[in-house]
Coordinates of all heavy atoms in Angstrom, one line a residue:
K3 N -59.7 -40.9 -10.6 CA -58.2 -40.7 -10.6 C -57.8 -39.9 -11.8 O -58.4 -40.1 -12.9 CB -57.5 -42.0 -10.6 CG -57.6 -42.7 -9.3 CD -56.7 -43.9 -9.3 CE -56.8 -44.6 -8.0 NZ -55.8 -45.6 -7.9
M4 N -56.8 -39.0 -11.6 CA -56.3 -38.3 -12.7 C -55.4 -39.2 -13.5 O -54.6 -40.0 -12.9 CB -55.5 -37.1 -12.2 CG -56.4 -36.0 -11.6 SD -55.5 -34.5 -11.4 CE -55.6 -33.8 -13.0
V25 N -21.3 -21.8 -20.7 CA -21.6 -20.4 -20.3 C -21.1 -20.2 -18.9 O -20.4 -19.2 -18.6 CB -23.1 -20.1 -20.3 CG1 -23.5 -18.9 -19.6 CG2 -23.6 -20.1 -21.7
F36 N -10.0 -11.1 -14.3 CA -10.0 -9.7 -13.9 C -9.8 -9.6 -12.4 O -9.3 -8.6 -11.9 CB -11.3 -9.0 -14.3 CG -11.4 -8.8 -15.8 CD1 -12.3 -9.5 -16.5 CD2 -10.5 -8.0 -16.4 CE1 -12.4 -9.4 -17.9 CE2 -10.6 -7.8 -17.8 CZ -11.5 -8.5 -18.5
R62 N 3.3 14.1 6.6 CA 2.3 15.2 6.7 C 1.6 15.2 8.1 O 1.3 16.2 8.6 CB 1.3 15.0 5.6 CG 1.9 15.4 4.2 CD 0.9 15.2 3.1 NE 1.5 15.6 1.9 CZ 0.9 15.6 0.7 NH1 -0.4 15.3 0.6 NH2 1.6 16.0 -0.4
G72 N 2.2 22.7 18.9 CA 3.3 23.7 19.3 C 4.5 23.0 19.8 O 5.4 23.7 20.4
R73 N 4.6 21.7 19.7 CA 5.8 20.9 20.1 C 6.3 20.2 18.9 O 5.6 19.8 18.0 CB 5.4 19.9 21.2 CG 4.9 20.6 22.5 CD 4.7 19.6 23.6 NE 4.3 18.3 23.1 CZ 3.1 17.7 23.4 NH1 2.2 18.4 24.2 NH2 2.8 16.5 23.0
V78 N 9.7 8.9 12.5 CA 10.8 7.9 12.7 C 10.6 6.7 11.7 O 9.5 6.2 11.6 CB 10.8 7.3 14.1 CG1 12.0 6.3 14.3 CG2 11.0 8.5 15.1
V79 N 11.6 6.4 10.9 CA 11.5 5.3 10.0 C 12.6 4.3 10.4 O 13.8 4.6 10.4 CB 11.7 5.7 8.6 CG1 11.6 4.5 7.6 CG2 10.5 6.7 8.2
T96 N 3.4 -0.4 9.1 CA 4.3 -1.3 8.6 C 4.4 -1.2 7.1 O 3.4 -1.1 6.4 CB 3.8 -2.8 8.9 OG1 3.7 -2.9 10.3 CG2 4.8 -3.8 8.4
L97 N 5.6 -1.1 6.6 CA 5.9 -0.9 5.2 C 6.1 -2.3 4.6 O 6.5 -3.3 5.2 CB 7.1 -0.1 5.0 CG 7.0 1.3 5.6 CD1 8.3 2.0 5.5 CD2 5.9 2.1 5.0
I119 N 13.0 12.4 10.9 CA 12.9 13.8 10.5 C 12.1 14.5 11.5 O 11.0 14.1 11.8 CB 12.3 13.9 9.1 CG1 13.3 13.3 8.1 CG2 12.1 15.4 8.8 CD1 12.7 13.3 6.6
F122 N 9.2 21.0 13.3 CA 9.1 22.1 14.3 C 7.7 22.7 14.3 O 7.0 22.7 13.3 CB 10.2 23.1 14.1 CG 11.6 22.5 14.0 CD1 12.3 22.4 12.8 CD2 12.2 22.0 15.1 CE1 13.6 21.9 12.8 CE2 13.4 21.4 15.1 CZ 14.1 21.3 13.9
T131 N 15.3 12.9 2.8 CA 14.7 12.1 1.7 C 14.7 10.6 2.1 O 15.6 10.1 2.6 CB 15.7 12.3 0.5 OG1 15.8 13.7 0.2 CG2 15.1 11.5 -0.7
Y132 N 13.6 10.0 1.7 CA 13.4 8.6 1.8 C 13.3 8.0 0.4 O 12.4 8.4 -0.4 CB 12.2 8.2 2.6 CG 12.3 8.6 4.0 CD1 11.5 9.6 4.5 CD2 13.1 7.9 4.9 CE1 11.6 10.0 5.9 CE2 13.2 8.3 6.3 CZ 12.5 9.4 6.7 OH 12.5 9.7 8.0
E133 N 14.2 7.1 0.0 CA 14.1 6.4 -1.3 C 13.5 5.1 -1.1 O 14.0 4.3 -0.3 CB 15.4 6.3 -1.9 CG 16.1 7.6 -2.3 CD 17.5 7.4 -2.8 OE1 18.0 6.3 -2.9 OE2 18.1 8.4 -3.1
I142 N 10.7 8.6 -4.6 CA 11.4 9.4 -3.6 C 10.4 10.3 -2.8 O 9.6 10.9 -3.4 CB 12.5 10.3 -4.2 CG1 13.6 9.4 -4.8 CG2 13.1 11.2 -3.2 CD1 14.6 10.2 -5.6
G150 N 9.0 22.3 5.6 CA 8.5 21.0 6.1 C 7.5 20.3 5.2 O 6.9 19.3 5.6

Side-chain angles (χ1 to χ4, degrees):
K3 289 189 176 186
M4 291 192 83
V25 167
F36 294 110
R62 289 181 179 182
R73 297 187 326 244
V78 181
V79 177
T96 302
L97 303 171
I119 295 178
F122 304 111
T131 302
Y132 295 107
E133 295 177 0
I142 295 177

